[in-house]
Amino acid sequence: MRRRRRSPTRWPSSPVISPPTSPASAWTSTAASSPAETPGRAPTGRDRTDATEPNDKTPERYSTMTMPQYDYDVVVLGSGIAGQSAATSAAQAGLKVALLEKTAKLGGSSAMSGGFFAFSGTDEQAAQGVQDSAELFLQDLLSTGGGVNSRALLDTYLERQDETYHWLKDQGAKFRALEISSGQSAPRSHNTVITELLANLHRTFTENGGETLLGHRAVRLVRGNDGPVTGVVVDSDGTESLFNARAGVVLATGGFSRSTDLLRTFAPEQLAAIPYGGPGNTGDGLKMAWKLGAGVADMSYITATYGSHPETGEEFHELLTAYYMGAIIVNKDGRRFVDESKSYKTLGREVLKQPEGLGFEIFDAKVRAKSHPGIPLNDIGMIEDLGHLFKADTLKELAEAAGIDSAALTATVARYNASVASHEGDEVGRTNLCNGVGELLPLDQGPFYAYPAKSLMTTTYCGLTINPNAEVVDVDGDVISGLYAIGELTGGFHGAAYMTGTSLGKGAVFGRIAAEHAAAKLASGVAQ
């Protein structure tokens, strides 16, 4: 089928994610709708309610024959980093794109995140003399993921990371800090103000003719006679419409951290964690694709992330990883129970087993001095300003203030300091600060600090199986043509645990890949 070129339609460009207004604003979801993205606004794709082919007798077509229909090249469901990367890239390629968001705000879980992207071989690493490579990156991914990750997906990420890194910078990403964090043996977590980046992406999207519709919830995918997915039925204010997609539907609907039912099915123990993540993360895309026979991966590895105060709310992303800076973690009994250098997902699983699901990050003045103001995960000062830190001149006083067994904490720190001095005999097997890197330091310089923290169900990091083109693969390993999945909705990439920065990173990488693959189908006349 030959595709007729179109003149790009220009839509009003309006930033929908406000820039930061306070030191904690990089941790805050500030997405807001504009008049151009009012929930319930009628789409501008051509309404062809009576255009359904009469010879198509599939149940999907029967059920959509009387509803309004709108034609696009690509329909993207979800507006986090994955969805916006796909939508923006497709619009830049000249495709007619609809970006549909279930909630009243753009950004999803991405807007609530710390804003870290994992890349190797970057300008920021070179400027700081960091020795890193794609090979080392791959080793870390496989090690962190327990070797159960999809090698094809990892290789694709590493092959495309440089291009994606530069594209993000072209979109205004300013990587203001470079950190080493969970799963990394070299600093490769590049931090940016995520709300600003999302706003920039959406601005580019609208400037290239993209259309955004808020308050539009995907209900079911349309697929005729086991052929390609050709569209999606969407509900807005109780009215259903069919959005046809010539080159495909892109699922970027996030995980299911907000679905009690799905968590109860796959990881009931994680219901004890603090609920977090985008309010729309209820597994919609996962369930729609399941109905078409889509495969799933990594469902047994769901776990919350350790490091959030028990009173953590949705106002900003409060997560402290002082343990990667030198802190130890103890329970209320004053005892350590896990190697603190492991992935914070692994730590999250172990903390849930402790009394009240609580672990205390214990550190001294040396660790406190490592605080990185304004940078998520490492800003101890911000945590202290919130009043969430206990502080005392002695360990005994600290334990009494925090409600920890005093004698046990004092003994635990003494054993830890002795093992650091002797370089052997650590009671939980810890030998470094983070993933094999960093020299341990004794906790011996007052004042001393305790941060009470629980596990936060930020993301599920499992889901639909995809191939390196971001196409959804069914339970038999066959591609479901016309259906793409990207971001947190997908499984196979992370494996057993998660490396900081790879969630936003894979969302951007595979979002661009999905857009390019869809555009190539249209150019070659393969589109449905």
Side-chain angles (χ1 to χ4, degrees):
M1 179 181 74
R2 186 165 181 167
R3 178 172 175 268
R4 180 172 60 84
R5 290 183 60 85
R6 68 179 184 87
S7 299
T9 303
R10 297 293 178 181
W11 303 99
S13 176
S14 57
V16 297
I17 301 176
S18 304
T21 57
S22 69
S25 57
W27 312 38
T28 306
S29 173
T30 56
S33 60
S34 67
E37 290 91 27
T38 303
R41 172 176 173 257
T44 59
R46 182 169 61 94
D47 183 354
R48 56 182 192 90
T49 304
D50 59 351
T52 303
E53 294 295 332
N55 293 327
D56 188 345
K57 304 300 184 182
T58 59
E60 290 91 341
R61 281 302 182 188
Y62 269 129
S63 66
T64 60
M65 289 178 65
T66 60
M67 64 179 61
Q69 297 188 32
Y70 304 97
D71 294 337
Y72 294 89
D73 294 328
V74 173
V75 176
V76 180
L77 308 178
S79 64
I81 188 66
Q84 293 213 39
S85 293
T88 300
S89 297
Q92 287 179 316
L95 275 61
K96 183 178 181 183
V97 186
L99 175 63
L100 308 185
E101 168 56 44
K102 169 183 176 180
T103 71
K105 294 181 179 180
L106 294 178
S109 290
S110 297
M112 301 170 71
S113 75
F116 286 102
F117 290 80
F119 298 121
S120 62
T122 65
D123 297 338
E124 290 77 14
Q125 287 180 317
Q128 296 189 28
V130 172
Q131 299 296 313
D132 195 12
S133 65
E135 293 74 21
L136 181 58
F137 197 169
L138 176 61
Q139 290 177 23
D140 286 349
L141 285 167
L142 290 170
S143 175
T144 301
V148 298
N149 336 44
S150 165
R151 180 64 183 267
L153 297 182
L154 300 186
D155 287 343
T156 300
Y157 183 100
L158 295 171
E159 290 166 4
R160 295 295 301 268
Q161 63 165 332
D162 186 65
E163 179 273 333
T164 303
Y165 160 80
H166 284 98
W167 179 75
L168 289 171
K169 294 185 82 169
D170 288 342
Q171 299 304 312
K174 296 179 175 62
F175 295 120
R176 56 185 181 162
L178 178 66
E179 306 286 348
I180 186 170
S181 193
S182 180
Q184 300 174 0
S185 57
R188 65 174 69 98
S189 291
H190 297 68
N191 183 258
T192 189
V193 180
I194 189 63
T195 49
E196 289 184 349
L197 176 58
L198 290 170
N200 291 341
L201 287 172
H202 190 256
R203 187 176 297 110
T204 301
F205 174 64
T206 55
E207 288 173 351
N208 281 273
E211 180 178 359
T212 301
L213 294 164
L214 302 179
H216 281 62
R217 179 177 64 88
V219 176
R220 62 186 180 277
L221 298 166
V222 175
R223 182 188 194 189
N225 294 322
D226 292 327
V229 171
T230 58
V232 58
V233 175
V234 176
D235 176 87
S236 177
D237 292 331
T239 300
E240 290 189 348
S241 301
L242 173 61
F243 284 71
N244 295 304
R246 285 184 286 267
V249 174
V250 182
L251 300 176
T253 52
F256 51 91
S257 63
R258 294 291 189 171
S259 172
T260 300
D261 289 342
L262 289 175
L263 286 175
R264 183 178 292 115
T265 298
F266 293 105
E269 73 284 355
Q270 299 301 317
L271 289 170
I274 302 171
Y276 199 70
N281 281 19
T282 55
D284 296 0
L286 180 68
K287 290 184 285 188
M288 286 191 296
W290 268 348
K291 291 181 180 179
L292 303 187
V296 294
D298 297 341
M299 307 302 285
S300 62
Y301 301 119
I302 300 168
T303 185
T305 299
Y306 172 68
S308 293
H309 192 272
E311 296 177 2
T312 295
E314 297 181 10
E315 293 75 22
F316 61 90
H317 187 228
E318 182 182 342
L319 184 68
L320 180 64
T321 58
Y323 38 87
Y324 294 147
M325 302 156 73
I328 61 172
I329 303 172
V330 304
N331 59 21
K332 293 194 67 162
D333 298 328
R335 303 184 185 281
R336 294 169 70 203
F337 52 88
V338 66
D339 177 353
E340 296 92 346
S341 70
K342 293 183 178 295
S343 164
Y344 45 37
K345 288 284 185 180
T346 300
L347 301 181
R349 183 181 299 114
E350 295 303 316
V351 168
L352 284 177
K353 301 175 184 177
Q354 304 307 308
E356 299 180 25
L358 189 64
F360 294 83
E361 299 179 32
I362 305 295
F363 52 97
D364 68 354
K366 296 191 301 297
V367 174
R368 174 66 179 82
K370 295 182 179 182
S371 176
H372 198 158
I375 303 302
L377 310 185
N378 300 331
D379 192 347
I380 301 175
M382 187 273 295
I383 300 292
E384 187 168 17
D385 290 343
L386 289 172
H388 288 172
L389 276 186
F390 292 101
K391 177 181 178 181
D393 292 330
T394 67
L395 287 171
K396 181 177 183 298
E397 293 171 334
L398 181 70
E400 292 172 350
I404 305 171
D405 185 293
S406 176
L409 177 62
T410 300
T412 294
V413 173
R415 288 194 302 274
Y416 176 74
N417 289 344
S419 69
V420 170
S422 64
H423 299 287
E424 61 182 24
D426 184 76
E427 60 184 310
V428 295
R430 186 180 192 180
T431 59
N432 54 80
L433 292 180
C434 177
N435 201 48
V437 177
E439 184 176 348
L440 300 177
L441 298 174
L443 302 178
D444 58 6
Q445 183 178 324
F448 297 93
Y449 300 85
Y451 178 59
K454 291 193 169 188
S455 298
L456 191 71
M457 179 45 69
T458 57
T459 42
T460 43
Y461 293 141
C462 62
L464 303 177
T465 49
I466 60 171
N467 65 18
N469 292 325
E471 296 173 290
V472 176
V473 177
D474 69 17
V475 292
D476 293 323
D478 298 323
V479 169
I480 300 177
S481 181
L483 184 62
Y484 300 90
I486 52 178
E488 190 193 344
L489 168 70
T490 61
F493 183 90
H494 298 295
Y498 161 75
M499 178 192 294
T500 302
T502 53
S503 180
L504 295 181
K506 76 169 185 176
V509 167
F510 286 96
R512 286 184 57 71
I513 288 173
E516 290 174 10
H517 192 267
K521 284 201 302 184
L522 280 178
S524 64
V526 178
Q528 47 269 14

